[in-house]
Amino acid sequence: MDYKLRMRELIKQINEHNYNYYILDNPTISDAEYDKLLDELMLLEKQNNFVFDDSPSKRVGAEVISNFEKEPHKVPLYSLDKRQSIDELKVWYDDIMSKYPDTKFSFEYKFDGLTITILYENGIFKKAMTRGNGIIGEVVTNQVKTIKSIPLSIPFKQTVIVQGEAIMLKSELEKYNKNNPEPLKNVRNAAAGAIRNLNPQVTKERNLDMYFYAVPYIEDDSIHSQQEVFEFLKQNKFKVHSYNKIVDNFDEITKLINKVDKEKEKIDILIDGIVLKINDFNTCKELGHTSRFPKFAIAYKFAPQELTSKVLDVKFQVGRTGKITPLAIIEPIFLSGATIQRATLNNYSDIKRKKIKINSYVYVRRSNEVIPEIMGIASDTAESKEIEMPSVCPSCGQPLKQEDIETFCTNYWGCPAQIKKRIVHYCSKDAMNIEGVSEKTIDAFYNEFSIRYPYQLYDLTKNDLLQLEKFKDKKTNNVYENIQNSKNPTLEKFIYALGIRNIGKKTAKDLAKYFKTFENFKNATFEQLVEVEDIAEITAQSIVDFFADKKNLENLDELKKRDVVVQESKNNGTGIFEGKTFVLTGTLDNYTREQATFEIESRGGKVTSSVSKNTDYLLAGESVGSKYDKAMSLGVKIIDENEFVNMIK
Ligand code: AMP
Ligand code: ZN
């Protein structure tokens, strides 16, 4: 056979597999089989000293260049005008509607990465450019070619320029930072730095991705709306985000914005807002541009999640397990709805790695569900000085011990901070759920009544409590009752409440489900513990160590004497959802996510956060997200709320 024919065939097959893998997220062959095709192609290329323009081998091996060439864009790339509040957005919207009452809009994510345009001629990827100043950009062809989800050839044969955002997924950044001494500060910088790197190999290693949203130029002028832009892009196998929607009223827009604002932390892509574009291109043309912005599109920006601030001081805190955590005191900043004055630095290695110093400016990020974190250094000042790691525990004064990258106080029974935090943990909502007992209360219990073990809580009398500051009759009664009423915990909550190192809520649940009774759990050997699914050796060892400690056993005995009786785990493996995996999307009428999860789990099922081929059911409520599309493409059974209610009846 003509080698060129075989090469075409291989390119076709590899491109198809690429598309299945990177765009549809649904691989149809193994990595090894894929590599075999690629190897054969590269061998033929070498033997014949011939490479097709769209060969996947061009994604690698391009040479390091000495500088980026600059070139004018064929069509200038405008920036987007911005609005920061719904009210301001409404003014813009009303203005358009007064001129064009039937306008429909495209509602899209505003991806936070680096804008790239790609020129295709005769169906072949010819040139990629950054936005630059919008008039002149930089040629980054070889860098962009390393992004595997971008097609190197497309069915459309006339000249076309497509535009999108090169991004790095948050999970990729985490992966990268885990293995790298020089951490990247955020996905936006990471993506921009990867593309604007003279060595395409560096770009490749960052595993970027790209989402497309515009066609600035098309030779045959065949696109007349934003909807058609997306159709064109999809037909030519560019990655398009499944969230895009056509909307035609402001209520819907507001609703969608609120939804995205809530969900943005949970998705793997960094978005800094949404974009609204008039769908019909005739209307767009009539509206035209200002000198910088199109008048037919607008960005609504979310309040920032990340700002810079100055580190004023660093305090070292002792956690429940003795772990020492540095906490930075920073100049107050207002970040996504709250004033922030403290941010975590995780551990001392992190401080060194991120080169954080006192009096330096740093990036602070706050996500909805986690404490603010210092991501990296922005700039040093003349007063910048190194942060010193204490050599002894700030609570008990005992020398600290280094374990891998973390530092610990190992004075388990003698460290006031650890003892207090263990009792706070014992009382917390997901543990014994003793309401009305704050950290301050435990402080008072520790100081006034020498409480050192959880069992001692049950000996407190109302008279004791009445002696404490702020404890009047009502509060005293409440706290007393809450303590006494906590004597019959579920196994899961009790295991969690003990505060065994490495045991979080999920692990406690797994253990409870497996062992069924507290006695079984307590008597389990290391070998039995590692049998439990998802229990790592280090966790098993923590459990064994915990029960080897006489004082822990004493606490358990004393709890028993005070009638603290752990319930047996009721789950006996016959639930109707046993072995079934659910994913939830959209909002349900009669259940919150937590309630629906409870209904599923209490019947033996499992709830996971993303759809895969292992998902049995997608439970879909109102306004579903991209999980819906994915479930459709994988053929996962989709059920609505009614069907769900019928199943659990
Ligand atoms: P800004 O960089 O804040 O001025 O916002 C304009 C930029 O938003 C554009 O240059 C694009 O890089 C980016 N962008 C992200 N997502 C979209 C989208 N869906 N449509 C248009 N532009 C987008
Ligand atoms: Zn200590």
Side-chain angles (χ1 to χ4, degrees):
M1 182 167 53
D2 178 359
Y3 71 85
K4 284 192 182 170
L5 273 179
R6 177 64 188 152
M7 282 166 85
R8 283 299 339 149
E9 173 60 26
L10 286 166
I11 290 174
K12 184 163 165 263
Q13 282 187 26
I14 292 169
N15 284 344
E16 264 171 32
H17 292 309
N18 245 355
Y19 179 71
N20 288 339
Y21 188 90
Y22 290 105
I23 311 265
L24 300 182
D25 205 1
N26 185 23
T28 44
I29 55 169
S30 70
D31 288 358
E33 287 165 310
Y34 179 91
D35 288 344
K36 219 170 125 195
L37 296 175
L38 195 60
D39 286 345
E40 185 186 344
L41 177 67
M42 285 170 62
L43 186 68
L44 283 173
E45 287 175 349
K46 213 168 143 197
Q47 285 170 345
N48 299 293
N49 202 13
F50 174 83
V51 183
F52 276 108
D53 270 347
D54 60 340
S55 165
S57 69
K58 290 216 163 174
R59 291 194 195 273
V60 288
E63 276 164 35
V64 180
I65 48 174
S66 57
N67 67 306
F68 291 110
E69 267 176 59
K70 291 196 169 59
E71 263 188 42
H73 287 287
K74 190 175 172 83
V75 178
L77 301 179
Y78 290 88
S79 178
L80 285 169
D81 203 358
K82 287 166 200 80
R83 298 292 182 269
Q84 298 260 24
S85 73
I86 300 279
D87 291 344
E88 288 170 14
L89 187 68
K90 179 87 165 51
V91 173
W92 180 84
Y93 173 89
D94 286 343
D95 185 44
I96 304 253
M97 292 308 264
S98 69
K99 293 177 191 139
Y100 302 94
D102 295 325
T103 308
K104 289 189 166 47
F105 298 85
S106 172
F107 182 102
E108 304 168 18
Y109 280 158
K110 185 170 186 301
F111 302 101
D112 204 0
L114 185 70
T115 310
I116 297 291
T117 61
I118 307 178
L119 166 73
Y120 287 81
E121 282 170 353
N122 299 313
I124 301 290
F125 183 134
K126 278 284 156 159
K127 190 182 353 185
M129 288 174 68
T130 63
R131 196 173 86 104
N133 61 10
I135 308 291
I136 294 173
E138 288 170 326
V139 179
V140 285
T141 307
N142 289 329
Q143 283 72 11
V144 172
K145 271 190 184 170
T146 66
I147 302 176
K148 296 210 185 80
S149 62
I150 303 175
L152 298 181
S153 61
I154 57 173
F156 186 78
K157 294 297 176 242
Q158 299 190 56
T159 302
V160 63
I161 298 175
V162 293
Q163 181 188 352
E165 203 84 353
I167 58 151
M168 188 181 208
L169 292 177
K170 295 174 189 168
S171 55
E172 280 296 336
L173 183 88
E174 251 170 54
K175 244 190 262 169
Y176 181 95
N177 280 354
K178 247 184 218 153
N179 304 320
N180 241 288
E182 291 279 330
L184 300 166
K185 278 161 204 150
N186 56 47
V187 289
R188 181 184 352 98
N189 292 0
I195 300 274
R196 299 195 68 266
N197 196 299
L198 296 166
N199 184 357
Q201 198 57 38
V202 173
T203 323
K204 184 168 176 249
E205 280 160 14
R206 298 251 176 113
N207 276 328
L208 300 187
D209 211 333
M210 182 155 174
Y211 282 97
F212 291 84
Y213 49 73
V215 180
Y217 175 82
I218 184 159
E219 194 177 352
D220 66 0
D221 255 333
S222 57
I223 297 182
H224 305 107
S225 69
Q226 184 62 10
Q227 205 164 5
E228 286 174 21
V229 164
F230 286 122
E231 277 158 23
F232 173 87
L233 290 169
K234 279 188 208 161
Q235 270 159 18
N236 285 282
K237 312 215 161 155
F238 291 102
K239 199 165 192 172
V240 168
H241 201 279
S242 58
Y243 204 87
N244 306 321
K245 286 183 179 63
I246 298 291
V247 292
D248 64 359
N249 69 75
F250 201 74
D251 273 353
E252 197 181 351
I253 293 170
T254 321
K255 246 197 202 158
L256 284 173
I257 288 178
N258 289 334
K259 183 160 175 272
V260 175
D261 197 4
K262 254 193 239 143
E263 289 173 355
K264 66 181 188 296
E265 293 305 321
K266 290 185 201 125
I267 58 175
D268 206 0
I269 302 167
L270 180 70
I271 50 177
D272 60 343
I274 60 99
V275 185
L276 274 185
K277 301 170 182 168
I278 292 181
N279 186 44
D280 173 41
F281 281 5
N282 277 329
T283 315
C284 295
K285 264 190 214 117
E286 281 179 34
L287 279 163
H289 295 80
T290 69
S291 61
R292 290 171 55 216
F293 309 122
K295 291 185 189 166
F296 48 83
I298 196 113
Y300 172 85
K301 297 260 268 185
F302 297 126
Q305 305 285 147
E306 190 173 302
L307 283 177
T308 54
S309 175
K310 191 174 179 184
V311 178
L312 303 175
D313 196 9
V314 173
K315 295 213 158 91
F316 289 86
Q317 296 194 314
V318 191
R320 169 166 64 81
T321 59
K323 186 153 96 186
I324 308 293
T325 307
L327 186 76
I329 312 299
I330 57 171
E331 261 172 15
I333 44 171
F334 194 72
L335 198 55
S336 60
T339 303
I340 308 291
Q341 309 198 48
R342 292 147 188 272
T344 181
L345 279 156
N346 298 313
N347 54 54
Y348 195 63
S349 314
D350 221 36
I351 293 180
K352 288 284 136 192
R353 212 165 57 106
K354 293 174 175 168
K355 304 194 172 67
I356 309 293
K357 301 189 186 75
I358 290 171
N359 293 329
S360 294
Y361 286 91
V362 291
Y363 293 104
V364 184
R365 183 184 302 164
R366 174 168 187 257
S367 318
N368 291 341
E369 280 139 80
V370 286
I371 36 171
E373 184 183 9
I374 291 191
M375 306 311 293
I377 181 133
S379 60
D380 284 325
T381 64
E383 289 81 44
S384 287
K385 58 172 198 260
E386 295 288 336
I387 297 163
E388 304 272 341
M389 180 71 192
S391 57
V392 298
C393 173
S395 177
C396 70
Q398 182 176 289
L400 296 175
K401 194 173 153 219
Q402 193 70 23
E403 284 182 27
D404 200 12
I405 59 168
E406 306 290 358
T407 314
F408 286 90
C409 165
T410 55
N411 189 9
Y412 191 83
W413 292 111
C415 182
Q418 289 184 58
I419 293 170
K420 286 186 223 171
K421 282 193 175 138
R422 277 203 299 271
I423 301 176
V424 170
H425 175 78
Y426 181 84
C427 297
S428 66
K429 184 156 177 293
D430 294 312
M432 303 299 271
N433 193 18
I434 303 177
E435 273 179 70
V437 182
S438 65
E439 250 174 79
K440 261 209 180 124
T441 318
I442 300 295
D443 230 25
F445 288 178
Y446 182 95
N447 295 327
E448 307 299 324
F449 309 126
S450 301
I451 290 203
R452 301 290 182 268
Y453 300 87
Y455 78 80
Q456 294 171 311
L457 292 170
Y458 299 97
D459 295 340
L460 290 170
T461 63
K462 287 189 189 177
N463 272 340
D464 289 337
L465 295 175
L466 276 171
Q467 293 167 35
L468 298 176
E469 206 184 325
K470 294 219 179 110
F471 272 72
K472 303 256 158 52
D473 280 350
K474 189 161 170 233
K475 183 162 175 154
T476 297
N477 278 330
N478 274 343
V479 168
Y480 179 81
E481 294 298 331
N482 291 344
I483 292 174
Q484 298 303 322
N485 287 340
S486 72
K487 287 185 177 175
N488 198 218
T490 62
L491 178 54
E492 167 186 340
K493 290 195 160 204
F494 190 68
I495 292 177
Y496 178 67
L498 293 178
I500 303 170
R501 215 161 137 181
N502 299 312
I503 296 197
K505 275 183 273 179
K506 156 98 173 49
T507 310
K509 193 184 227 172
D510 291 346
L511 289 164
K513 202 170 159 191
Y514 186 89
F515 287 106
K516 308 267 191 310
T517 68
F518 186 68
E519 284 307 306
N520 287 345
F521 170 59
K522 189 178 146 202
N523 296 330
T525 62
F526 179 85
E527 288 71 25
Q528 285 167 333
L529 286 163
V530 290
E531 283 284 297
V532 186
E533 206 183 334
D534 291 344
I535 302 296
E537 291 191 1
I538 172 168
T539 311
Q541 194 55 51
S542 307
I543 297 168
V544 172
D545 291 347
F546 182 87
F547 288 115
D549 186 319
K550 277 205 187 84
K551 290 194 173 169
N552 282 329
L553 296 179
E554 183 188 322
N555 178 49
L556 289 168
D557 276 346
E558 296 297 327
L559 281 171
K560 210 188 253 171
K561 280 186 202 154
R562 284 159 185 77
D563 298 324
V564 174
V565 181
V566 186
Q567 297 172 30
E568 284 192 13
S569 180
K570 282 194 212 75
N571 193 320
N572 48 14
T574 56
I576 52 164
F577 293 147
E578 200 61 42
K580 298 284 184 231
T581 302
F582 282 72
V583 174
L584 310 179
T585 183
T587 45
L588 301 170
D589 286 338
N590 298 307
Y591 301 89
T592 63
R593 290 231 164 162
E594 286 71 32
Q595 287 164 343
T597 303
F598 175 80
E599 298 293 345
I600 294 165
E601 289 180 347
S602 62
R603 290 169 175 79
K606 210 161 104 182
V607 177
T608 63
S609 58
S610 62
V611 176
S612 75
K613 59 182 189 328
N614 297 324
T615 309
D616 294 294
Y617 297 103
L618 180 78
L619 172 53
E622 269 299 298
S623 31
V624 295
S626 61
K627 290 174 192 168
Y628 192 91
D629 301 342
K630 183 141 184 216
M632 288 286 274
S633 73
L634 291 178
V636 169
K637 186 159 170 55
I638 299 172
I639 55 170
D640 65 13
E641 187 165 350
N642 274 337
E643 293 175 76
F644 179 66
V645 171
N646 282 330
M647 288 164 97
I648 62 180
K649 249 204 267 181

